[in-house]
């Protein structure tokens, strides 16, 4: 832990969570061990009784993992963090810790597809009720909250529509009813958004994305605000078992050292790419939090320090043209995931959000023509050149065909059917 008054996120990203290791290493070493020996039988008993600090077994704690947890805690401005084997493990652990049979969760309708599926198909049959609403609409949130609502779960900006939820206002509504607010901060990273500053009780991340930043690790984290919550979550994570291994923790911690630099470049590149797409004749609509045309642009300015690296857009030729374009790309890689140094592109309706079903996708405005771009840190002229050559192969709207797609209206975020 840094004890001196360093408050800048850039410095914290480089120095936070160095830990206290033998020989004073500058970088936390990898404790690649599943278990730790006890000095004596009474030492082991004392460790199990929580009478002294130390390590027992890596599922219950590991120095390399602790160092990363300290780092992320400081970046998010929380009390403590618990790392998990994936973002989904972090979300599952959080919801399992906070919800019991008969409880109700209100969830943003535009969230990562498997989050919807987890709540509906795994937690639902266990007796946990859920309502999915557009959490950018505060009246909709107010109407959805019930006496048994224990959690309001928000992803902002939402995956993949980039809809922005006002964290502060949702926290006020939820806290009036004694519900907790969980924010998935994956798309922003703590460099661009710190939800706890606006009242969030729990923050989760898929560290697979921007925090690690190099597309080589699957990891998640939960950040909590106080010791009581930490103890509660720690017990649940320890029993569910979805912990992070020391090598992955080392890699994510290494990735975080360049997080501030990377977020700056992602944001600058994405702004230039978004403007390029807006002006391209083959593009029908573009959604990017940095554009004034974004429906929640002002909310974004209040709570985000930058617009981030994700853009969603649709082509005039809808899904057919989108597929042609994605197949023609050479530099931008056709792959799911996001937040890595390389530019990735994917089609949510048939990929990341296929599992949630068409009806839920339509409610969340995840139209069939929506293409999601995670802008990397490459030379932006080369990203644009690649998009331009691929778009030139899909500039014509598709001829009349007998398929019906959902068409987004970028002004209202409404959806209507269009026959191609
Ligand atoms: N939260 C958000 C906002 C995500 O985008 C993802 C994964 C997760 C949680 C789950 O994290 P994981 O378990 O994969 O570490 N999002 C993905 C995506 O959009 N494409 O591939 C994965």
């Amino acid at each position: 832990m840094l004890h001196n008054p360093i408050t800048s996120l850039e410095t914290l990203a480089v120095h936070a969570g160095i830990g206290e290791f033998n020989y004073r290493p500058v970088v936390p070493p990898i404790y690649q061990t599943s278990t730790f020996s006890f000095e004596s039988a009474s030492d082991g008993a004392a460790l199990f009784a929580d009478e002294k600090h130390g390590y027992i077994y890596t599922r219950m704690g590991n120095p390399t993992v602790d160092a990363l947890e300290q780092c992320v805690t400081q970046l998010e401005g929380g009390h403590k963090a618990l790392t998990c084997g994936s973002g989904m493990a972090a979300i599952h652990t959080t919801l399992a810790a906070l919800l019991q049979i008969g409880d109700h969760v209100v969830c943003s309708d535009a969230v990562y597809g498997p989050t919807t599926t987890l709540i509906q198909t795994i937690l639902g049959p266990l007796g946990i009720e859920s309502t999915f609403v557009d959490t950018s609409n505060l009246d909709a949130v107010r109407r959805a909250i019930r006496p048994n609502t224990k959690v309001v779960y928000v992803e902002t900006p939402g995956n993949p529509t980039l809809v922005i939820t006002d964290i502060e206002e949702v926290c006020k509504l939820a806290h009036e009813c004694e519900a907790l607010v969980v924010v998935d901060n994956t798309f922003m990273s703590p460099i661009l958004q710190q939800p706890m500053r606006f009242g969030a009780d729990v923050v989760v991340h898929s560290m697979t994305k921007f925090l690690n930043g190099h597309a080589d690790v699957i990891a998640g984290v939960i950040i909590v605000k106080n010791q009581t919550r930490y103890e509660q979550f720690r017990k649940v994570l320890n029993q569910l078992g979805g912990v992070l291994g020391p090598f992955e923790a080392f890699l994510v911690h290494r990735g975080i050292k360049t997080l501030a630099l990377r977020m700056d470049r992602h944001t600058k590149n994405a702004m230039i790419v978004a403007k390029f797409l807006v002006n391209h004749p083959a593009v029908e609509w573009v959604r990017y939090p940095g554009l004034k045309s974004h429906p929640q642009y002002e909310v974004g300015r209040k709570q985000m320090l930058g617009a981030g690296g994700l853009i969603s857009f649709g082509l005039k030729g809808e899904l057919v043209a989108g597929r042609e374009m994605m197949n023609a790309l050479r530099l931008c890689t056709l792959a799911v995931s996001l937040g890595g140094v390389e530019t990735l592109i994917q089609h949510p309706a048939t990929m990341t959000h296929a599992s949630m079903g068409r009806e839920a996708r339509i409610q969340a405005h995840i139209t069939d023509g929506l293409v999601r771009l995670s802008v990397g840190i490459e030379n932006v002229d080369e990203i644009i050149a690649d998009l331009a050559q691929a778009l030139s192969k899909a500039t014509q709207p598709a001829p009349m065909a007998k398929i019906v797609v959902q068409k987004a209206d970028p002004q209202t975020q409404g959806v209507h059917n269009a026959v191609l």
Side-chain angles (χ1 to χ4, degrees), residues 84-91 111-115 153 155-160 184-187 204-209 217-220 310 335-338 344 346 348 351-353 372:
C84 301
S86 68
M88 286 315 299
I91 295 165
V111 289
Y112 177 51
T115 302
Y153 184 97
E155 194 179 293
T156 181
N159 185 355
D184 184 333
N185 200 24
T186 299
F187 271 32
V204 294
H205 280 274
S206 166
M207 298 198 293
T208 313
K209 312 297 180 324
V217 172
I218 298 285
L310 272 297
V336 296
S337 203
L338 57 105
L344 299 182
Q346 67 111 4
M351 296 174 188
T352 48
H353 292 69
R372 192 191 72 190

